[in-house]
Amino acid sequence: MSQQVTEITHRLVTSPGGRIHLVEQGTGPLVLLVHGFPESWYSWRHQLPVLAAAGYRAVAIDVRGYGRSSKPAPRDAYRMLDLVDDNVSVVRALGEESAVVVGHDWGAAIAANSALLRPEVFRAVGLLSVPYTPPGGPRPSDIFAQMGGDEEFYVSYFQEPGRAEAEIEPDVRGWLAGFYAALSADTMPPSGAPDPHFVSKGGTLRDRFPVGRLPAWLSESDLDVYAGEFERTGLTGALNRYRNMDRDWEDLAAFGGAPIPQPSLFAGGGSDASTTWLTDAIKAYPVTLPGLVSSHVLDGCGHWIQQERPDEVNRLLTDWLAALPT
């Protein structure tokens, strides 16, 4: 059902960490949109008006540590349990009892865990780019330390406090441009080139980023928005998500192997390592996501799926939402 699209509204709501900044558009059933690294509510700019026009109350947040949301100082304030609590607090602050939650990248993990831990609040879950993997298994830092041989996996690089900040913060705009380009289908390094997910000894991530060309989905003004946010906030709050992965592993141990039974959707990019490295997780969906409605891998799409292919993602989301039980 198409509705007249209202203007977007910015709001601050109270959360356990202080405040969450959100942007909302439309009226109807609540759809909560959760971004990943290194982004903001703005990564959902193409989805907000379409969801609003389809009859939903679309709400995109700045995750704790980003944008105008609070940035608590303690490193362990960015554990998964806290981010799930933030999502619940947003739903409650908006006067709603339940919501559909959709996440991209780290937001996909936050959305999945929100549905897993609080099924009475999150009645359905959409995951973009990063497949669902149930809690459990080996300690995350041990897994990442074994990847790459003589090179260092980017997650391990991000986990050391201050290290990535020293690389990024002298030139936030340039670093973000390179990072976005490195993971976009039209600008990523060609097959056989050094992998930008790894760091050589004594090097930086930026050494392997493409230079001088923005991906087609990212305009100079879009880049200005992202750079302006991180130039103001710094990167520590965002990077602290990576620095809590072992804490999450401990916090969620009681949910080891747990499936998410609510209706679910997955969409990933065929050229995105976050999707292709986890093909076994996608194959396990009949067990891990027994409520899965549909799963899609978009050929020729990179990591920033809802920005690279907004029309396709919007169609997948609206079709899935329309089929959900009310």
Side-chain angles (χ1 to χ4, degrees):
M1 179 174 62
S2 180
Q3 295 190 359
Q4 183 176 2
V5 179
T6 58
E7 294 298 314
I8 64 171
T9 301
H10 291 257
R11 294 176 60 176
L12 296 174
V13 300
T14 301
S15 71
R19 69 180 182 275
I20 292 292
H21 168 243
L22 60 85
V23 173
E24 73 175 298
Q25 191 167 13
T27 59
L30 177 60
V31 180
L32 184 65
L33 305 169
V34 187
H35 68 80
F37 176 89
E39 300 177 273
S40 75
W41 75 266
Y42 189 74
S43 65
W44 301 104
R45 63 194 177 280
H46 303 299
Q47 284 68 52
L48 287 163
V50 172
L51 294 179
Y56 299 97
R57 185 182 188 185
V59 173
I61 65 170
D62 280 338
V63 172
R64 180 186 298 213
Y66 289 82
R68 291 168 58 191
S69 293
S70 289
K71 287 160 275 296
R75 196 174 307 143
D76 66 359
Y78 298 84
R79 63 210 309 163
M80 186 60 72
L81 294 179
D82 290 326
L83 302 180
V84 170
D85 285 346
D86 285 344
N87 281 353
V88 173
S89 72
V90 169
V91 174
R92 298 291 186 244
L94 293 173
E96 304 284 355
E97 293 298 319
S98 67
V100 174
V101 61
V102 179
H104 169 256
D105 182 76
W106 263 122
I110 298 167
N113 281 284
S114 296
L116 177 66
L117 300 178
R118 299 300 300 271
E120 79 284 5
V121 178
F122 299 102
R123 61 187 181 92
V125 58
L127 308 175
L128 302 183
S129 298
V130 177
Y132 175 60
T133 55
R139 184 179 293 271
S141 60
D142 293 339
I143 296 174
F144 302 133
Q146 296 170 11
M147 297 178 65
D150 292 336
E151 297 184 331
E152 185 177 16
F153 191 46
Y154 80 100
V155 175
S156 299
Y157 182 76
F158 283 169
Q159 284 179 327
E160 185 177 332
R163 188 176 174 200
E165 289 93 326
E167 172 186 344
I168 301 168
E169 291 187 358
D171 178 20
V172 170
R173 193 179 193 278
W175 192 92
L176 289 175
F179 190 74
Y180 296 145
L183 304 186
S184 297
D186 61 331
T187 49
M188 63 177 53
S191 178
D195 191 334
H197 294 89
F198 294 88
V199 181
S200 59
K201 286 187 176 180
T204 65
L205 269 179
R206 188 172 186 163
D207 295 339
R208 298 181 176 183
F209 290 170
V211 177
R213 181 184 169 204
L214 294 182
W217 62 267
L218 183 71
S219 69
E220 295 284 352
S221 60
D222 293 331
L223 181 57
D224 286 342
V225 172
Y226 286 124
E229 294 288 82
F230 289 108
E231 286 166 353
R232 185 179 71 254
T233 66
L235 271 293
T236 297
L239 288 163
N240 278 343
R241 174 82 291 274
Y242 293 91
R243 296 163 187 166
N244 279 277
M245 296 180 75
D246 285 351
R247 291 187 182 92
D248 298 338
W249 180 76
E250 295 168 357
D251 288 341
L252 299 172
F255 292 87
I260 296 175
Q262 295 98 308
S264 56
L265 165 79
F266 173 74
S271 301
D272 180 14
S274 296
T275 297
T276 59
W277 284 344
L278 292 170
T279 53
D280 287 345
I282 296 173
K283 291 176 182 177
Y285 279 168
V287 174
T288 61
L289 291 178
L292 184 70
V293 174
S294 60
S295 180
H296 313 267
V297 176
L298 307 187
D299 291 339
C301 181
H303 183 63
W304 319 103
I305 183 169
Q306 78 269 37
Q307 297 176 90
E308 289 187 55
R309 304 281 272 275
D311 292 341
E312 289 175 72
V313 170
N314 289 343
R315 177 178 56 79
L316 293 175
L317 287 174
T318 53
D319 287 351
W320 171 65
L321 288 166
L324 293 177
T326 55

